[in-house]
Amino acid sequence: MTVAIVDYGAGNVQSLCFALQRLGVEPVVSHDEETLRTADRVIFPGVGQAVSALQQLRACGLDVLLPQLRQPVLGICLGLQLLCRSTEEGGATACLGVFPLDVVRFPAGEKVPHTGWNEVSFADNKLFAGMRRAEYLYFVHSYRALQGEHTVATAQYAGQFSAALQRDNFFAVQFHPEKSSAVGAHILRNFLELSR
Amino acid sequence: MITKRIIPCLDVRNGRTVKGICFDELRDAGDPVELGLHYAQQGADELVFLDITATQQQRATQHALVQRVAQHLDIPFTVGGGIRSVQDVAELLRAGADKVSVNSAALYRPDLIDELAREFGSQCVVVAIDAAVHNGQWCVYAAGGMQKTPRELYEWSREVQERGAGEILFTSIAHDGTKSGFAVEALARLAREVHLPVIASGGGGAPQHFLDVFATGQADAALAASVFHFQEISIPALKQFLHTHSIPVRYEREL
């Protein structure tokens, strides 16, 4: 199986590579369209600022490619937010539009970034197969997607928000499975084992 | 609900853990890799490495060690010590660190915080602040607590927030190593002054101190070294204690 990690200069992919290696997978880190199009799995990570991340995606032509991918895709953290319709970060910024949701900042008065292990409640979804209905996962983010029809997991912090989304072959998680101990590894393994 | 974090800190020199450590179950308790994994298995919520002698010459050793730890560690991993530039951080992140902790270099050149936040995102920038009370005021110290600066704790904390820090790691110099409890009043005020997560450090010696730092000090995380290294407090027992006192903590659970 080939697992490609989208490399567009938005942050740190080393932790994710190590997490996949612990599961016996050697990922390819690439922004090459053909590599991404033909991989069995594509993981779309990201940390940092949404606007500059989008600029870097566009510079690689990946803003067009990513929403067209047909294999299972997993967005992580900023990856989830960029797969939504828009984000408040940097003013109203159009994103890739896979999920019809708008990403908003946590309300004023809350500690931001939302940093740490938060309880996540899972819907019945392939990504969470073989797991309890709630687990702790590690988050660090300042913006979030509220709930929508594609929400498959929720967390509470200044109200409820989407901890995970799914639409067709697109999966996305706001938490960091690569840094979330055995529970996170289980979710990554479930993603790798999805039938196509 | 977000949980309060328990963070063991390893002081590392030349690739080895310093401060005497005695763990019967570890083959080599001086090996930071084995010790880090041990803490992760015990339910530590993050791990912090401070390379207390990090110099330019020792960078290569530091990176090799960070990489060996990161390969095996499945919880967030922060590295601090001697970080002065965007380039230093890029190398640590490439080795597998998730966050970096900056201290003196940010005091000497505060723009470093802005540069790191812009380049890597606030989520990976922890600003460590060492402070002590002097003439009734919390003064910030540089160079591992050796050098007093004109900065005041709360003013500097607000500034690092404005500059893009993602977390503050506050150490009370007077409490550090005393095992007599954290600087709870200063922490409670810090929680009112900034809206960043605050990691409390210095003084944790008993489970009650951790309860106080969360319940009264309003800290988001508590960091300690020797009480964990010497097994004076075990992380599972500490979390059980906090849980029975209604502090939300993460339990390692079997899948």
Side-chain angles (χ1 to χ4, degrees):
Chain A
M1 172 188 289
T2 57
V3 177
I5 296 174
V6 183
D7 174 25
Y8 59 110
N12 176 11
V13 298
Q14 195 59 63
S15 281
L16 179 59
C17 290
F18 287 151
L20 292 167
Q21 286 166 0
R22 289 194 293 270
L23 295 172
V25 170
E26 187 60 54
V28 183
V29 180
S30 176
H31 57 255
D32 173 62
E33 292 205 12
E34 191 56 23
T35 305
L36 296 177
R37 205 186 296 278
T38 55
D40 297 306
R41 298 285 181 280
V42 172
I43 302 182
F44 177 37
V47 290
Q49 216 267 343
V51 176
S52 60
L54 277 164
Q55 283 166 355
Q56 283 164 299
L57 272 184
R58 284 193 200 103
C60 309
L62 297 178
D63 57 322
V64 177
L65 175 74
L66 288 177
Q68 297 172 351
L69 291 174
R70 307 298 293 272
Q71 67 273 58
V73 175
L74 178 66
I76 297 176
C77 194
L78 185 61
L80 174 146
Q81 299 179 10
L82 297 180
L83 288 171
C84 290
R85 182 168 52 204
S86 76
T87 176
E88 249 179 25
E89 194 172 1
T93 305
C95 298
L96 304 184
V98 168
F99 301 109
L101 280 167
D102 301 307
V103 173
V104 294
R105 193 172 166 86
F106 279 104
E110 296 298 328
K111 284 193 187 183
V112 175
H114 169 229
T115 304
W117 297 77
N118 203 322
E119 192 166 36
V120 175
S121 301
F122 306 119
D124 189 14
N125 187 278
K126 293 175 276 187
L127 199 57
F128 312 120
M131 300 176 60
R132 295 163 190 261
R133 302 311 293 266
E135 287 286 1
Y136 296 105
L137 291 146
Y138 185 79
F139 290 80
V140 52
H141 59 124
S142 301
Y143 293 78
R144 59 173 171 186
L146 298 176
Q147 285 177 271
E149 58 177 314
H150 303 293
T151 300
V152 294
T154 57
Q156 284 275 0
Y157 186 75
Q160 209 161 47
F161 66 93
S162 289
L165 299 166
Q166 189 216 336
R167 181 179 187 181
D168 305 325
N169 57 318
F170 288 90
F171 296 78
V173 293
Q174 182 59 65
F175 50 82
H176 287 272
E178 75 279 17
K179 287 280 117 184
S180 291
S181 193
V183 178
H186 190 105
I187 292 171
L188 284 176
R189 194 182 301 111
N190 280 348
F191 173 71
L192 297 176
E193 291 175 357
L194 288 171
S195 54
R196 207 174 157 146
Chain B
M1 175 180 269
I2 187 109
T3 56
K4 301 290 189 181
R5 288 171 281 156
I6 300 295
I7 307 178
C9 175
L10 303 186
D11 292 323
V12 176
R13 178 184 292 164
N14 296 327
R16 302 282 297 171
T17 309
V18 295
K19 289 190 178 174
I21 291 176
C22 43
F23 276 113
D24 295 340
E25 59 269 44
L26 294 190
R27 219 166 1 97
D28 177 4
D31 177 12
V33 179
E34 198 171 356
L35 195 56
L37 288 181
H38 173 76
Y39 282 130
Q41 283 156 9
Q42 291 258 304
D45 296 305
E46 291 188 36
L47 190 68
V48 170
F49 259 43
L50 289 181
D51 194 329
I52 54 180
T53 56
T55 63
Q56 293 306 324
Q57 293 77 26
Q58 291 162 335
R59 286 273 168 230
T61 318
Q62 189 192 36
H63 295 161
L65 176 64
V66 166
Q67 178 159 347
R68 281 205 301 134
V69 174
Q71 274 170 338
H72 297 99
L73 197 71
D74 60 5
I75 58 174
F77 179 32
T78 303
V79 179
I83 293 164
R84 293 177 188 81
S85 67
V86 165
Q87 179 63 28
D88 290 344
V89 174
E91 288 168 5
L92 286 170
L93 297 184
R94 212 174 303 134
D98 298 298
K99 316 185 208 182
V100 295
S101 167
V102 293
N103 191 336
S104 301
L107 286 161
Y108 301 146
R109 197 173 68 80
D111 283 345
L112 178 63
I113 301 168
D114 308 62
E115 291 166 14
L116 296 180
R118 198 161 52 235
E119 187 71 22
F120 307 109
S122 295
Q123 83 293 329
C124 92
V125 184
V126 181
V127 175
I129 303 177
D130 298 339
V133 177
H134 186 79
N135 291 337
Q137 197 184 41
W138 277 95
C139 298
V140 177
Y141 285 70
M146 303 299 287
Q147 186 186 359
K148 188 167 163 296
T149 75
R151 301 281 190 174
E152 188 264 343
L153 169 65
Y154 305 109
E155 169 253 13
W156 177 234
S157 298
R158 285 191 300 271
E159 181 173 339
V160 305
Q161 170 175 276
E162 288 307 307
R163 289 179 176 277
E167 278 180 282
I168 289 172
L169 166 55
F170 165 50
T171 301
S172 166
I173 295 169
H175 291 75
D176 201 22
T178 64
K179 299 185 184 180
S180 60
F182 294 90
V184 169
E185 284 170 28
L187 283 157
R189 174 152 174 217
L190 191 55
R192 293 192 300 272
E193 296 272 352
V194 296
H195 54 70
L196 290 177
V198 174
I199 305 165
S201 160
Q208 181 68 40
H209 300 150
F210 288 82
L211 175 57
D212 293 342
V213 83
F214 293 132
T216 312
Q218 299 294 309
D220 301 284
L223 177 144
S226 53
V227 289
F228 297 136
H229 301 334
F230 289 113
Q231 298 187 89
E232 289 164 22
I233 298 178
S234 87
I235 292 173
L238 175 58
K239 287 195 165 183
Q240 181 63 52
F241 174 83
L242 293 170
H243 174 71
T244 54
H245 289 81
S246 303
I247 301 294
V249 288
R250 175 183 71 109
Y251 280 101
E252 274 294 314
R253 291 183 286 191
E254 294 294 329
L255 280 168

